Amino acid sequence: MIDYRSDNTGRAAPEILDAMVRANTGTALGYGADEWTARLQERFGELFETKVRVFPVATGTAANALALAASSPSWGLVYCSEAAHINTSEANAAGFFGGGLKLAPIAGKDGRIDPDAFARTLAAIQPGQLHRGQPAAVNLTQASDLGTVYVLDDIRAIADVAKTRGLKVHMDGARFANALARLGCSPAEMSWRAGVDILSFGVTKNGGALCDAIVVFTPELADGLAVQLRRAGQVWSKMRFASAQLMAYIEHGLWLNLAAASNAAAARIAGGIAGLPGLRLVAPVEVNEIFLELPTGVMDAIERDGFQFYRRSATLARFVCRFDTSEAEADALVAALRRHCAGPADTVPARAAE
Amino acid sequence: MIDYRSDNTGRAAPEILDAMVRANTGTALGYGADEWTARLQERFGELFETKVRVFPVATGTAANALALAASSPSWGLVYCSEAAHINTSEANAAGFFGGGLKLAPIAGKDGRIDPDAFARTLAAIQPGQLHRGQPAAVNLTQASDLGTVYVLDDIRAIADVAKTRGLKVHMDGARFANALARLGCSPAEMSWRAGVDILSFGVTKNGGALCDAIVVFTPELADGLAVQLRRAGQVWSKMRFASAQLMAYIEHGLWLNLAAASNAAAARIAGGIAGLPGLRLVAPVEVNEIFLELPTGVMDAIERDGFQFYRRSATLARFVCRFDTSEAEADALVAALRRHCAGPADTVPARAAE
Amino acid sequence: MIDYRSDNTGRAAPEILDAMVRANTGTALGYGADEWTARLQERFGELFETKVRVFPVATGTAANALALAASSPSWGLVYCSEAAHINTSEANAAGFFGGGLKLAPIAGKDGRIDPDAFARTLAAIQPGQLHRGQPAAVNLTQASDLGTVYVLDDIRAIADVAKTRGLKVHMDGARFANALARLGCSPAEMSWRAGVDILSFGVTKNGGALCDAIVVFTPELADGLAVQLRRAGQVWSKMRFASAQLMAYIEHGLWLNLAAASNAAAARIAGGIAGLPGLRLVAPVEVNEIFLELPTGVMDAIERDGFQFYRRSATLARFVCRFDTSEAEADALVAALRRHCAGPADTVPARAAE
Amino acid sequence: MIDYRSDNTGRAAPEILDAMVRANTGTALGYGADEWTARLQERFGELFETKVRVFPVATGTAANALALAASSPSWGLVYCSEAAHINTSEANAAGFFGGGLKLAPIAGKDGRIDPDAFARTLAAIQPGQLHRGQPAAVNLTQASDLGTVYVLDDIRAIADVAKTRGLKVHMDGARFANALARLGCSPAEMSWRAGVDILSFGVTKNGGALCDAIVVFTPELADGLAVQLRRAGQVWSKMRFASAQLMAYIEHGLWLNLAAASNAAAARIAGGIAGLPGLRLVAPVEVNEIFLELPTGVMDAIERDGFQFYRRSATLARFVCRFDTSEAEADALVAALRRHCAGPADTVPARAAE
């Protein structure tokens, strides 16, 4: 069996678990008042080249929902892509933690918000108009939920539209490292320098275990968030075990190496299937996800071949590469797709057994 | 320095971190659809001698608040001890996750609810009376926030009062193992057999790392809770790392051994200081916590001696033992208290240096 | 000036204010325990030919949001038309009172939900699938926000889809009387007999003053709602003044007479402009609202002529008739539209002065 | 029957209903964009001698809860008297609208907060301490829920304590006019000049019908509140009928005349029963409420005599005077109490029939 179901079906990077084991010594104050968490603040400050507040949290859903709740009054409208994870997959956690805030989808291409569509939407709401709620924030998923990235100009364009109306900018960086590895820019460039106020810093999908984080660039968002996190049950009393994971994740470039590896596996697959008849990439493969339109028969066939993946619909399959997806595994998927797409899958059972 | 500040300043039991490392192999479905979590359900069913639903969560605050939210409509009143952790230390997480439910303190002794006071309070609210909100649930902290335990008859008495009015019974078992070790009864006896509907199953304070759990005995509370947990950002995508911790915690009696050790250390200290003039136990020492009324001067003195502990007020100190508190550490505290309480602390600096 | 802006810019029916004045005698128990409110329950029971619970509330937004909160857990999905008032104009009150429930728009024609589209949407969500939230209720606006009505078969079809998945059916009856007058059926046929569980019973838009109501057909929704209303600040202590308004509204057919009058005015206008070049009815005129696509120049021209109306966009105008819109006022609008649509408005200023 | 049950069992002042009838002419923009509501802002500005924002709302519960929600983040602590209406009688509306804020009772005398107790409570919470939630606001009930008033120095003392920690000051003025009539000061002196940021301006208990108001003195609280009110279903589309009530209430001193009348009736009763054996005033009678400790037998006896009142407990009765309580009604109650308290009530049935 070769597993392409998700980046969360995979292992943790051993370095991250090692760091937990190493942190298991002596006593330390609870709830983040420990030395590990203090050092975490410093290290992330260096990493992002500015003073930040870093809050470890259990999950990406917690990171997103609490970051948005910090960015919006409870009567706020939060703009996002129709495909955004906060809109499709988090059971409306943002609406819940935000006290009833509302998500407002904006059109765009390949899972991204289109800056012009965003500007037009805002222009249609007069300041002082109350009956729809108040525009409060915009959410960008970087990389997007279709495996594409916003280039820096895109981020800036959206942030500019937001800032002219006083909206906050939240980046859902569940695959922040993958996007960073793709763009080859600095963490600062892809976040606060492009206008991001607050970031969901994803770790789990890129080799983490039980911990993601919120990184706050705009200081006035942090103090309230600190209380919200406590109230949300997201402040571990033995925080050192979370902070140690986050430290290990960014030390010695581990996070970028992991992301580069999963990106490379996806690129290898995308390259291998380019031009094959009978399949269609739904969006460019820019990080570690591949969205393929395939005949149902082909999906059935590669499943019989031992590949695991998610069916988003009868004709849409998603393949996700992880940091430990090997070249051999990538090549195996390419070979299988080549076999089954060469002709009508259902008519060539013999080749499926090759 | 000898640390008596809290049971959350301590290390994790090495077995628990080992379990995480061992779980780091192969791929597994996300969000609790993995084999570790499936086995967890079975093992807890055996442990509690009934079918249960077990939900790993990040913190005890999350466990309490979400368990209560599952037990009460948003307009509910949840009765608890004035000293209850949910009332004093969780930033009103129960009120938040419960959509505005209200905590209603009930009088009692040594951090416990008095069953008669509870009955009288309920009797004073007519069914159909709306303006106070609706009685919905009762919360017991076992062991209590003053380090005492409810004996089984107490639990049953409170549960009986609750059940006659249709209220749910929630046990905050942040120190469930410590209470169990004290009472020497079975997990079933101290929970559902005594009328408990839903349990916050504490791990962190007794050698855990990053994971507690909610155990549901009353099935109709579980389905909604499952969605709430997702929405609360409490469902790890790599859940196996949490479930593995919980499994290790209860295997081979680890949890009870850890609790017995911290209880024994506290009992050793309590025995050693019995009858000393100038100090007063605020409540009987029944688990791993010691609440002492002490002159400020004595607090200052033992702090200078290298002991760490929390001051709850100018005259109230709390000492908490952990599973790895040694007999030597216990004896050292006893000796220091004996020194400083033999005479007026401020006048005997010479003896403080003994 | 002739006002077609909204049905809420108008006067109250004098009978309704008279009823308040007549209720201003003697003393009466507060919070709905008075005789007026008791009789209200009986009278609405007769009106709807079944036992109901009637709760007077201040506004239609309160009626909708609290009815939906009673119909859905806080993690619920509530389906509605994209054009539904709860989705476009109530500042996400449903999301707020519902503790974070989420509105999910369904496609359809003329402001209505399409039953087949609704069925397909539900079919795509597996029971037990948690990450989107849980399907909980469906909202129908009767008459719709584009001035059309659901015929009884439509309501039944949508309710059937809902019931097979255990969803509750809420009708936003802000213009319930207008729809009833249009269909010529009984209140029972258009509500619970067609599958409606809970109804926002609109009064304000049809000659009311300060009071609408929630009518509950499905008894288990009522008890919790009663507490929610108290907590929502929607239970007047001098409730008799609200109940008296509601009684007057339905006595002697007042409500249907008022609705028939506003419907007739709209029909008169629609008839008068049928076939005019340069304008287009966006939806059939079935109650008291007319949505017209018009050149901006024509809008400017009729505004100069003294007509007040709302511009929904540069080319979409809404005209609303009230119970006291006279035939002369209707004819005046027809005449003005005829004038300005006969030729390019901007080029015929002379005719605008006719 | 003579009704002393509550000030909300009574009639509305006819002037207030007349004002509604007079407002029923012509058309007016909805949701508060009408001329009545514009004039209301001006008139209240004159009344309070400063620029204010006035928001009509349906009930006092709505006024309190929304004013507090505007004054506190959702993780806030709101201090109040144990006896405060928000704490005992509003089904935790403040906790609900405040997104989970928590009420924290403060000790005091006669239904009031003691400024020193308040200062001590705040001093015990360190800034930056997160686990209890954050001190955010204080609520004063003026007149108090035991029928006493805060003198201006009391209000200032509490406001001073609040302001030094950045807390907002909310006054629950359900009986604002009664307190004002008692103190003989100006509305400004009893509100913003004494440090009040936001006021629940009560009308209903003093001759109103269906409308109270929130008056905002601290401008930054108003904009968010305006959206919250819309979302709370508290913004009537035909707002003129509410604003007209509020205008009539304060015109020509009506409100103070009404309050003076009910205060005078209570004072007459209190004077008449002074020194009677067998009864005890629980608190000084300073406005229109009388709290009496009485033997159960006396309560039964005066009930048989035809008096209606509320029993707060087996020995505590509350009598409330209204603006239309006559001197004869007051004297009748005095006479009845004199009769039944002269000797053991149960032994003198003959006198009860006098």
Side-chain angles (χ1 to χ4, degrees):
Chain A
M1 302 287 273
I2 300 181
D3 188 343
Y4 285 102
R5 289 176 296 186
S6 180
D7 22 25
N8 61 38
T9 61
R11 293 183 303 125
E15 294 88 339
I16 285 175
L17 298 185
D18 286 353
M20 286 184 71
V21 173
R22 281 202 314 275
N24 195 23
T25 176
T27 66
L29 267 178
Y31 301 107
D34 61 89
E35 291 167 34
W36 287 263
T37 308
R39 255 181 288 142
L40 178 70
Q41 309 300 315
E42 281 171 37
R43 279 295 292 123
F44 269 66
E46 292 162 19
L47 189 72
F48 281 98
E49 305 169 50
T50 189
K51 187 167 169 43
V52 297
R53 294 274 294 275
V54 191
F55 299 99
V57 293
T59 67
T61 294
N64 286 337
L66 284 156
L68 287 169
S71 303
S72 168
S74 65
W75 52 82
L77 288 172
V78 173
Y79 298 95
C80 62
S81 162
E82 181 72 49
H85 204 260
I86 59 168
N87 190 41
T88 64
S89 302
E90 301 184 357
N92 201 23
F96 172 64
F97 281 107
L101 67 77
K102 192 175 177 189
L103 301 178
I106 297 286
K109 202 164 165 300
D110 296 338
R112 290 178 298 236
I113 290 174
D114 176 57
D116 293 333
F118 179 38
R120 282 192 304 272
T121 297
L122 277 186
I125 300 189
Q126 308 301 322
Q129 194 178 324
L130 308 182
H131 63 280
R132 280 186 177 268
Q134 293 298 287
V138 62
N139 158 276
L140 307 181
T141 314
Q142 176 78 323
S144 86
D145 292 272
L146 283 179
T148 60
V149 301
Y150 289 93
V151 297
L152 298 188
D153 280 351
D154 288 345
I155 303 172
R156 277 188 224 109
I158 291 168
D160 283 350
V161 172
K163 299 293 159 117
T164 59
R165 281 289 283 268
L167 277 68
K168 293 286 184 293
V169 179
H170 168 245
M171 179 174 279
D172 175 356
R175 293 187 181 90
F176 188 81
N178 297 83
L180 205 60
R182 167 76 186 193
L183 292 181
C185 63
S186 74
E189 285 169 324
M190 206 172 80
S191 59
W192 63 276
R193 284 208 177 109
V196 174
D197 294 292
I198 190 165
L199 168 68
S200 294
F201 184 84
V203 177
T204 304
K205 290 183 192 300
N206 187 37
L210 292 180
C211 185
D212 291 290
I214 301 173
V215 181
V216 182
F217 303 110
T218 298
E220 66 263 29
L221 301 184
D223 285 342
L225 178 56
V227 196
Q228 273 276 42
L229 284 160
R230 178 69 68 98
R231 192 167 69 144
Q234 291 285 343
V235 180
W236 284 289
S237 60
K238 291 181 173 169
M239 184 66 90
R240 56 170 146 170
F241 293 112
S243 297
Q245 290 180 57
L246 291 169
M247 295 283 282
Y249 178 64
I250 62 164
E251 287 305 342
H252 313 301
L254 175 63
W255 64 317
L256 295 175
N257 294 340
L258 298 170
S262 58
N263 284 3
R268 187 176 184 98
I269 295 166
I273 61 175
L276 265 190
L279 56 74
R280 191 179 72 83
L281 280 177
V282 170
V285 175
E286 298 183 348
V287 288
N288 66 326
E289 294 188 293
I290 302 165
F291 290 84
L292 273 183
E293 292 230 320
L294 288 172
T296 305
V298 174
M299 290 201 218
D300 295 344
I302 59 174
E303 210 162 72
R304 284 192 302 267
D305 290 353
F307 295 95
Q308 296 174 300
F309 57 94
Y310 281 140
R311 300 184 188 213
R312 287 290 181 90
S313 76
T315 60
L316 178 56
R318 187 188 73 161
F319 301 85
V320 186
C321 297
R322 298 183 313 280
F323 72 89
D324 56 0
T325 301
S326 66
E327 294 195 352
E329 289 173 327
D331 293 343
L333 178 59
V334 169
L337 286 168
R338 288 189 163 273
R339 267 197 312 276
H340 301 299
C341 291
D346 292 347
T347 66
V348 285
R351 303 179 81 178
E354 270 175 18
Chain B
M1 301 287 273
I2 299 180
D3 188 343
Y4 283 103
R5 289 177 297 187
S6 180
D7 24 24
N8 61 37
T9 61
R11 293 183 303 126
E15 293 88 338
I16 287 176
L17 298 184
D18 285 353
M20 288 182 69
V21 173
R22 283 201 314 276
N24 196 23
T25 175
T27 67
L29 266 179
Y31 302 106
D34 60 272
E35 290 167 35
W36 286 263
T37 309
R39 257 181 288 142
L40 178 71
Q41 309 301 315
E42 280 171 37
R43 278 295 292 124
F44 268 66
E46 293 162 18
L47 189 71
F48 282 97
E49 305 169 50
T50 188
K51 189 169 168 41
V52 298
R53 295 274 293 276
V54 191
F55 298 100
V57 292
T59 66
T61 294
N64 286 337
L66 285 155
L68 287 170
S71 303
S72 168
S74 66
W75 52 83
L77 287 172
V78 173
Y79 297 96
C80 62
S81 162
E82 180 73 48
H85 204 259
I86 59 167
N87 190 40
T88 65
S89 301
E90 300 184 357
N92 201 24
F96 172 65
F97 281 108
L101 68 76
K102 191 175 178 189
L103 301 178
I106 297 286
K109 202 163 165 299
D110 297 338
R112 289 177 300 235
I113 289 174
D114 175 59
D116 293 333
F118 179 40
R120 282 192 303 273
T121 297
L122 276 186
I125 300 189
Q126 308 300 324
Q129 194 177 324
L130 308 182
H131 63 280
R132 281 187 177 267
Q134 294 299 287
V138 63
N139 158 276
L140 307 181
T141 314
Q142 177 77 322
S144 85
D145 292 272
L146 284 179
T148 61
V149 302
Y150 290 92
V151 297
L152 299 188
D153 279 351
D154 288 344
I155 303 174
R156 276 187 224 109
I158 291 168
D160 284 351
V161 171
K163 300 291 158 116
T164 58
R165 281 289 284 267
L167 277 67
K168 294 286 185 292
V169 179
H170 167 245
M171 179 173 279
D172 174 358
R175 294 187 180 90
F176 187 80
N178 296 83
L180 205 60
R182 165 80 186 189
L183 292 180
C185 63
S186 75
E189 286 170 323
M190 205 172 81
S191 58
W192 64 276
R193 283 207 178 111
V196 174
D197 294 292
I198 189 166
L199 167 69
S200 294
F201 183 83
V203 177
T204 304
K205 290 183 193 297
N206 187 37
L210 292 180
C211 183
D212 292 290
I214 300 173
V215 180
V216 183
F217 304 110
T218 298
E220 67 262 30
L221 302 184
D223 285 341
L225 179 56
V227 196
Q228 272 276 43
L229 283 161
R230 179 67 69 98
R231 192 168 68 143
Q234 291 285 344
V235 179
W236 284 289
S237 60
K238 291 180 173 170
M239 184 65 90
R240 55 169 146 169
F241 293 112
S243 297
Q245 290 180 58
L246 290 169
M247 295 283 281
Y249 178 66
I250 60 163
E251 285 306 342
H252 312 302
L254 174 63
W255 63 319
L256 295 176
N257 295 340
L258 297 170
S262 58
N263 285 3
R268 187 176 184 96
I269 294 167
I273 61 174
L276 265 190
L279 56 72
R280 191 178 74 81
L281 279 177
V282 170
V285 175
E286 298 182 349
V287 288
N288 65 325
E289 292 188 293
I290 301 164
F291 289 84
L292 274 183
E293 291 231 322
L294 288 172
T296 306
V298 174
M299 290 201 218
D300 295 343
I302 59 174
E303 209 163 72
R304 282 193 303 267
D305 290 353
F307 294 96
Q308 297 175 300
F309 58 94
Y310 281 138
R311 301 184 188 215
R312 287 291 180 90
S313 75
T315 59
L316 178 57
R318 187 188 74 162
F319 301 84
V320 187
C321 297
R322 298 183 313 279
F323 73 88
D324 55 0
T325 300
S326 66
E327 294 195 352
E329 288 174 326
D331 293 343
L333 178 59
V334 169
L337 286 168
R338 288 189 163 274
R339 267 198 313 275
H340 300 300
C341 291
D346 293 345
T347 65
V348 287
R351 303 179 82 178
E354 270 174 18
Chain C
M1 301 287 273
I2 300 181
D3 188 343
Y4 284 102
R5 288 176 298 187
S6 180
D7 24 25
N8 62 37
T9 62
R11 293 183 303 126
E15 293 89 339
I16 286 176
L17 298 185
D18 286 354
M20 287 183 70
V21 173
R22 281 201 314 277
N24 195 24
T25 176
T27 67
L29 265 178
Y31 301 106
D34 60 273
E35 291 168 34
W36 286 262
T37 308
R39 256 182 288 142
L40 179 70
Q41 309 300 315
E42 282 171 37
R43 279 295 293 124
F44 268 66
E46 293 162 18
L47 189 72
F48 281 98
E49 305 169 49
T50 190
K51 187 167 168 43
V52 297
R53 294 274 293 276
V54 191
F55 298 99
V57 293
T59 66
T61 294
N64 286 337
L66 284 156
L68 288 169
S71 304
S72 169
S74 65
W75 53 83
L77 288 172
V78 173
Y79 297 96
C80 63
S81 162
E82 180 73 49
H85 204 259
I86 58 167
N87 190 40
T88 65
S89 302
E90 300 184 358
N92 202 23
F96 172 66
F97 281 108
L101 67 76
K102 191 174 178 188
L103 301 178
I106 297 287
K109 202 163 165 300
D110 297 337
R112 289 177 300 237
I113 290 174
D114 176 58
D116 294 333
F118 178 40
R120 282 192 303 271
T121 297
L122 276 186
I125 300 189
Q126 308 301 323
Q129 194 177 326
L130 309 183
H131 63 281
R132 282 187 175 266
Q134 293 300 286
V138 63
N139 158 276
L140 308 181
T141 314
Q142 176 77 322
S144 86
D145 293 272
L146 284 179
T148 60
V149 301
Y150 289 92
V151 297
L152 298 188
D153 280 351
D154 288 344
I155 303 173
R156 276 187 225 109
I158 291 168
D160 284 351
V161 172
K163 300 293 158 119
T164 59
R165 280 290 283 268
L167 277 67
K168 294 287 185 290
V169 179
H170 167 245
M171 179 174 280
D172 174 357
R175 293 187 181 90
F176 188 81
N178 297 83
L180 205 61
R182 166 77 187 193
L183 293 180
C185 64
S186 74
E189 286 169 323
M190 206 172 79
S191 57
W192 63 275
R193 283 208 178 109
V196 174
D197 294 291
I198 189 165
L199 169 67
S200 295
F201 183 83
V203 178
T204 304
K205 290 185 193 296
N206 188 37
L210 293 179
C211 184
D212 291 289
I214 301 172
V215 180
V216 182
F217 303 111
T218 298
E220 68 263 29
L221 302 184
D223 285 341
L225 179 56
V227 195
Q228 272 276 43
L229 284 160
R230 178 69 69 98
R231 191 167 69 142
Q234 292 285 344
V235 180
W236 284 289
S237 59
K238 291 180 173 170
M239 185 66 91
R240 55 169 147 170
F241 293 112
S243 297
Q245 290 180 57
L246 290 169
M247 295 283 282
Y249 178 65
I250 61 165
E251 286 305 341
H252 314 301
L254 174 63
W255 64 317
L256 295 176
N257 294 341
L258 298 169
S262 58
N263 285 3
R268 187 175 184 96
I269 295 167
I273 61 175
L276 265 189
L279 57 73
R280 191 178 73 82
L281 279 175
V282 169
V285 175
E286 298 182 350
V287 288
N288 65 326
E289 294 188 292
I290 302 164
F291 290 83
L292 273 183
E293 291 229 323
L294 289 172
T296 305
V298 173
M299 291 201 217
D300 295 342
I302 60 174
E303 210 162 72
R304 284 192 303 267
D305 290 352
F307 294 95
Q308 296 173 301
F309 56 95
Y310 281 138
R311 301 185 188 212
R312 287 291 181 90
S313 76
T315 59
L316 178 56
R318 188 188 73 161
F319 301 85
V320 187
C321 297
R322 299 182 313 278
F323 72 88
D324 56 0
T325 300
S326 67
E327 295 195 353
E329 288 174 326
D331 292 344
L333 178 59
V334 169
L337 286 168
R338 288 189 163 273
R339 266 197 313 275
H340 299 300
C341 291
D346 292 348
T347 65
V348 287
R351 303 180 81 178
E354 269 175 19
Chain D
M1 300 288 273
I2 299 181
D3 188 343
Y4 284 102
R5 288 176 298 186
S6 179
D7 22 25
N8 62 37
T9 62
R11 293 183 304 125
E15 293 89 336
I16 286 176
L17 298 184
D18 286 354
M20 288 183 69
V21 173
R22 282 201 314 276
N24 195 24
T25 175
T27 66
L29 266 178
Y31 301 106
D34 60 90
E35 291 168 33
W36 287 263
T37 308
R39 256 182 288 143
L40 178 70
Q41 308 300 315
E42 280 172 37
R43 278 294 293 124
F44 268 66
E46 292 162 19
L47 189 71
F48 281 97
E49 306 170 49
T50 188
K51 189 168 169 40
V52 298
R53 295 275 295 274
V54 192
F55 298 100
V57 292
T59 67
T61 294
N64 286 337
L66 285 156
L68 288 170
S71 303
S72 169
S74 65
W75 52 82
L77 289 172
V78 173
Y79 297 96
C80 62
S81 162
E82 181 73 49
H85 204 260
I86 58 167
N87 190 41
T88 65
S89 301
E90 301 185 357
N92 201 23
F96 172 65
F97 280 108
L101 68 76
K102 191 174 177 189
L103 301 178
I106 297 286
K109 203 163 163 299
D110 297 338
R112 289 177 300 236
I113 289 174
D114 175 57
D116 293 334
F118 178 39
R120 282 191 303 273
T121 298
L122 277 186
I125 300 188
Q126 309 301 324
Q129 194 177 325
L130 308 182
H131 63 280
R132 281 186 177 268
Q134 293 299 287
V138 62
N139 159 275
L140 307 181
T141 314
Q142 176 78 322
S144 86
D145 292 272
L146 284 179
T148 60
V149 302
Y150 290 91
V151 296
L152 299 187
D153 280 351
D154 289 344
I155 303 173
R156 276 187 224 109
I158 291 167
D160 283 351
V161 172
K163 299 293 158 115
T164 58
R165 281 290 284 267
L167 277 66
K168 293 286 184 294
V169 179
H170 168 246
M171 179 173 279
D172 174 356
R175 293 187 181 90
F176 187 80
N178 296 83
L180 205 60
R182 165 80 186 189
L183 292 181
C185 63
S186 74
E189 285 169 324
M190 206 171 80
S191 58
W192 63 277
R193 284 208 178 110
V196 173
D197 293 293
I198 190 166
L199 168 69
S200 295
F201 184 83
V203 178
T204 304
K205 290 183 193 298
N206 187 36
L210 292 179
C211 184
D212 291 289
I214 300 173
V215 180
V216 183
F217 303 110
T218 298
E220 67 263 29
L221 302 184
D223 285 341
L225 179 55
V227 196
Q228 273 276 43
L229 284 160
R230 178 67 70 98
R231 191 168 68 143
Q234 292 284 344
V235 180
W236 284 290
S237 60
K238 290 180 172 170
M239 184 66 89
R240 54 169 148 169
F241 292 112
S243 297
Q245 290 181 58
L246 290 169
M247 295 284 283
Y249 179 63
I250 61 164
E251 286 305 342
H252 313 303
L254 175 62
W255 64 318
L256 294 175
N257 294 341
L258 297 170
S262 58
N263 284 4
R268 186 177 185 96
I269 294 167
I273 61 175
L276 265 189
L279 57 72
R280 191 177 74 82
L281 280 176
V282 169
V285 176
E286 298 181 349
V287 288
N288 66 325
E289 293 188 292
I290 302 165
F291 290 84
L292 273 182
E293 291 231 321
L294 288 173
T296 306
V298 174
M299 291 200 217
D300 295 343
I302 59 175
E303 211 163 71
R304 283 192 303 266
D305 291 352
F307 294 95
Q308 297 174 300
F309 57 94
Y310 282 139
R311 302 185 187 214
R312 287 290 181 90
S313 76
T315 59
L316 178 56
R318 187 188 74 162
F319 301 85
V320 187
C321 297
R322 298 183 313 279
F323 72 87
D324 55 0
T325 300
S326 67
E327 294 195 352
E329 289 173 326
D331 292 343
L333 178 59
V334 169
L337 286 168
R338 288 188 163 273
R339 266 198 313 276
H340 299 300
C341 291
D346 292 347
T347 66
V348 287
R351 304 180 81 178
E354 273 174 16

